[in-house]
Amino acid sequence: MKTSKKLSSIRIIIRHISGSKINQIDEFPLDNFKEITFGRASSNDLSFDPDIDDVVSRQHGKITVDNLDPMKITIHDLGSRNGTFVNGEKIEKDKELFPGDVVKLGINGPEFQFDIFPKQKDYMKKTRVLETITPASKPTKISESMPVGKDEVKDEKTGVGRETVERIVVQTQKKSRTILFSALAVALILIIAIGYVFWPETPVVEAPKLPEKFNKMTPTEIAEANSDKVVYIEVGWKMTYTVTGEDVYHLYLKDGKSFHAAFLQLPDGSIEPWLVKSSDDYKTPQSQLIGGLHTGSGFVVSEEGFILTNRHVAASWMTAYHFPKEAFPGILYEIKDGKPVKTKYQVGPQDVFDWVPISAKFFGRGIASGKILEGKNMYLDVTFNGNDLRIPATVARISNKHDVSMIKIDLPESLPKVRLKDRHSDIKAGEEVVVMGYPAVSPDEFIKQNSQDVFNRNPHWIKVPTVTVTNGNISKVINGNSKMNSNKYFSSFGDVYQLTINATGGGNSGGPMFDSDGNVIGIYFAGKQDYNGTKISFAVPIKYGIELMGTKKIL
């Protein structure tokens, strides 16, 4: 029983490096999966796209967990057409897998990286234990009642007859009531007259909105109204040394007969790449430039050319870095007496999956101090829907806390803009929404152009981006630290809207999310998938984009 209890917390992690599932993660608990089949058939535990990943066989292979030793995990090829490769070598029979191994299905097929989580033995990371918030009790309604008095008329014997006495009393009461009502009426008229003269002007109250069903726009209507406001973004970036402007590299050192990426374990236990500048004498030709190329989406928010998108689109140096596959396994060095000392540990992707370039703590041969490293876009181009002209853009502002940034293009004409609405306080799960953008998985469209430039007559093909429209619902509203005490509540995704919109992917990041009235209420930024193939996606509330457009004080 002790073994099964331990296995319930251990999962096989599959990180997709290329193919239709690139940047996605599948998880398989060891106590539920003793065998994981993979291939193009939908019946597999790990299924690939039958059209895009056409080099993968329908029943390509399987991963098996040993019944006697659960930590012994083996991969098998089931007679696939194009073969199975582990770390670049084709397997002829069963092969044992280890954390960090890269599996490729076919020579030019999709790749994924195998891992175990949590780390076993000495490499398990501590997890912060969070307290549970007890919802505040609802206020109790207090009702008050007023006692109602009752007049009594005591009948006394006198020299006057009983009927005469009763008649006199009734007449007196009628007269008193008439006088009282007249006085009250006069007082009420005076109060109204005084209030009309001295009371402040009352604002005009807008007519109530029609029921929601009369306000809704269809996804087609939203797309027609906003297609020319949603833009395609292309980015190439790198890290630079601010003192001299030199490029920053990930150092590769020779170990045995080949070169391997060098990593550093800092005194606080964290691991990060060993960074050097281009002029350092110990930089080797095999060292890799820190940077990358990617695409994204955005939307116009002002007539002057300001565009909102994600921080990880416009400023990739401020988000988790995607290392090239050749960086692993890497060589680990420990910092002792301020100097790197080589260890025997091999670094895998799981050791540095959350490393952010701008947060590097070690540079060259010493601890980094101040802002000596900075990211720089080599190019940041914006293209409008159905257009072939790339427009250079600049980064205007970057959020410190949220995956939001703002870029700027300069054009002589005024641009059409989307309609923004902060609905963070009244948004409800179940509401219909529409996401627009440019997912990389969507087929590219090109146009052949014959140059009219006398100095360059070469014809060429140019990619013309066309916007994609995807509709779904808000399935959950996740309040991060905005409405909660940060010491008692934690959300791993921050303040976000969880969506049922799954036909998106890389490239859609930064695209607008519209409500059924055609207002932008969020910015799409991420997707997630579990081992069962269940997919969800997320959007940042537009309130954080609106804040970035202004100068709101925080102190």
Side-chain angles (χ1 to χ4, degrees):
M1 295 300 292
K2 183 177 181 181
T3 302
S4 62
K5 182 178 180 180
K6 181 179 179 182
L7 288 178
S8 64
S9 63
I10 302 176
R11 304 189 299 277
I12 292 177
I13 306 296
I14 302 296
R15 292 187 176 89
H16 295 275
I17 302 172
S18 63
S20 64
K21 298 167 72 68
I22 186 172
N23 294 330
Q24 297 183 21
I25 297 176
D26 293 305
E27 301 181 6
F28 302 88
L30 283 185
D31 57 352
N32 293 339
F33 289 86
K34 299 300 180 185
E35 184 178 277
I36 303 168
T37 59
F38 54 88
R40 285 193 298 142
S42 59
S43 59
N44 288 292
D45 300 313
L46 183 59
S47 59
F48 292 82
D49 191 292
D51 297 321
I52 299 176
D53 301 317
D54 54 359
V55 300
V56 180
S57 298
R58 289 182 56 81
Q59 302 292 338
H60 198 103
K62 64 181 180 179
I63 296 173
T64 304
V65 179
D66 192 289
N67 290 327
L68 298 179
D69 182 8
M71 289 297 99
K72 183 177 181 181
I73 301 173
T74 310
I75 188 170
H76 316 260
D77 185 275
L78 298 178
S80 65
R81 182 180 58 188
N82 295 307
T84 303
F85 300 78
V86 177
N87 298 328
E89 296 182 3
K90 185 175 182 180
I91 61 173
E92 302 297 334
K93 54 181 180 178
D94 301 350
K95 182 173 180 61
E96 187 174 359
L97 288 176
F98 297 95
D101 283 350
V102 175
V103 178
K104 179 185 283 190
L105 310 183
I107 296 177
N108 298 314
E111 298 173 281
F112 61 82
Q113 189 232 353
F114 169 84
D115 202 1
I116 295 291
F117 185 85
K119 297 179 185 178
Q120 301 303 298
K121 297 183 179 179
D122 298 330
Y123 300 105
M124 184 182 298
K125 291 186 177 180
K126 295 182 178 179
T127 303
R128 180 154 63 102
V129 178
L130 309 174
E131 298 180 21
T132 303
I133 290 183
T134 303
S137 58
K138 294 183 178 179
T140 305
K141 293 184 178 180
I142 301 176
S143 60
E144 298 180 356
S145 59
M146 296 293 292
V148 179
K150 183 177 181 181
D151 294 334
E152 297 181 356
V153 178
K154 187 175 181 181
D155 212 354
E156 296 183 359
K157 290 185 178 181
T158 62
V160 184
R162 178 187 180 101
E163 293 180 359
T164 302
V165 172
E166 290 179 349
R167 185 170 59 253
I168 293 172
V169 170
V170 170
Q171 290 176 350
T172 303
Q173 289 178 342
K174 287 182 177 179
K175 186 176 181 180
S176 299
R177 283 198 295 269
T178 301
I179 295 172
L180 177 61
F181 289 152
S182 299
L184 289 174
V186 172
L188 182 60
I189 291 172
L190 288 173
I191 291 173
I192 293 174
I194 294 172
Y196 180 79
V197 174
F198 295 102
W199 199 262
E201 183 179 352
T202 304
V204 177
V205 179
E206 294 183 0
K209 281 189 175 182
L210 293 173
E212 187 179 357
K213 63 181 180 180
F214 296 113
N215 290 329
K216 285 187 177 180
M217 297 175 65
T218 66
T220 300
E221 291 171 334
I222 292 174
E224 290 176 347
N226 294 281
S227 291
D228 58 345
K229 307 166 189 175
V230 183
V231 301
Y232 175 65
I233 301 174
E234 297 171 287
V235 186
W237 69 279
K238 63 182 179 179
M239 290 294 290
T240 61
Y241 177 48
T242 58
V243 178
T244 62
E246 294 176 78
D247 296 339
V248 174
Y249 288 80
H250 184 184
L251 181 63
Y252 277 56
L253 296 175
K254 193 169 186 179
D255 184 38
K257 296 182 179 180
S258 58
F259 284 84
H260 296 269
F263 293 85
L264 298 166
Q265 184 167 31
L266 304 181
D268 62 2
S270 62
I271 297 177
E272 63 178 40
W274 188 344
L275 303 180
V276 296
K277 60 182 182 293
S278 53
S279 64
D280 285 338
D281 55 2
Y282 51 100
K283 184 186 81 68
T284 62
Q286 290 76 16
S287 299
Q288 298 292 315
L289 183 71
I290 293 292
L293 310 174
H294 61 270
T295 65
S297 305
F299 50 99
V300 180
V301 294
S302 80
E303 296 177 348
E304 295 75 25
F306 286 97
I307 296 168
L308 282 180
T309 184
N310 288 143
R311 179 168 70 177
H312 77 259
V313 172
S316 292
W317 53 89
M318 297 183 70
T319 192
Y321 183 66
H322 293 284
F323 289 89
K325 60 182 180 180
E326 58 267 20
F328 306 106
I331 308 170
L332 182 65
Y333 291 79
E334 290 182 340
I335 303 298
K336 293 184 177 180
D337 299 327
K339 297 181 179 180
V341 178
K342 182 181 175 183
T343 70
K344 295 182 179 180
Y345 180 68
Q346 291 187 329
V347 178
Q350 71 280 0
D351 296 307
V352 288
F353 73 94
D354 57 353
W355 179 71
V356 177
I358 198 66
S359 301
K361 304 170 187 174
F362 193 96
F363 179 71
R365 288 177 173 158
I367 301 298
S369 60
K371 195 175 181 180
I372 66 171
L373 299 181
E374 181 60 281
K376 179 181 180 182
N377 286 321
M378 295 180 287
Y379 64 87
L380 176 62
D381 290 341
V382 167
T383 309
F384 283 84
N385 178 51
N387 203 307
D388 66 334
L389 184 63
R390 270 55 180 169
I391 306 171
T394 56
V395 177
R397 186 173 289 184
I398 305 170
S399 173
N400 290 325
K401 298 183 294 183
H402 305 281
D403 196 358
V404 181
S405 65
M406 186 165 57
I407 62 177
K408 175 76 164 57
I409 59 174
D410 292 318
L411 290 178
E413 64 180 17
S414 296
L415 296 176
K417 62 180 180 178
V418 300
R419 194 168 63 237
L420 307 178
K421 187 172 184 180
D422 178 8
R423 293 194 51 207
H424 193 249
S425 60
D426 67 354
I427 200 75
K428 298 291 188 298
E431 291 195 30
E432 297 178 0
V433 290
V434 172
V435 169
M436 296 178 66
Y438 300 86
V441 70
S442 181
D444 292 332
E445 298 177 66
F446 296 85
I447 185 171
K448 186 177 181 180
Q449 290 188 340
N450 294 314
S451 175
Q452 300 299 315
D453 184 353
V454 68
F455 299 109
N456 183 0
R457 290 290 191 180
N458 296 324
H460 53 285
W461 291 88
I462 296 180
K463 179 180 177 179
V464 179
T466 52
V467 73
T468 296
V469 182
T470 315
N471 63 300
N473 301 85
I474 293 178
S475 58
K476 186 178 180 181
V477 178
I478 303 176
N479 288 318
N481 296 332
S482 63
K483 294 185 178 180
M484 301 289 185
N485 184 331
S486 60
N487 294 324
K488 294 184 178 180
Y489 182 88
F490 173 75
S491 163
S492 59
F493 264 66
D495 270 356
V496 296
Y497 301 141
Q498 181 176 311
L499 314 176
T500 62
I501 297 175
N502 302 318
T504 55
N508 245 112
S509 294
M513 182 182 76
F514 298 87
D515 64 9
S516 56
D517 291 328
N519 302 307
V520 175
I521 61 172
I523 307 173
Y524 182 91
F525 80 100
K528 189 177 182 182
Q529 179 176 352
D530 68 5
Y531 61 89
N532 288 322
T534 305
K535 297 179 180 179
I536 56 177
S537 53
F538 302 91
V540 181
I542 194 61
K543 66 174 292 185
Y544 300 117
I546 295 174
E547 287 180 3
L548 200 64
M549 295 166 63
T551 56
K552 181 180 178 181
K553 293 182 179 180
I554 62 173
L555 292 178

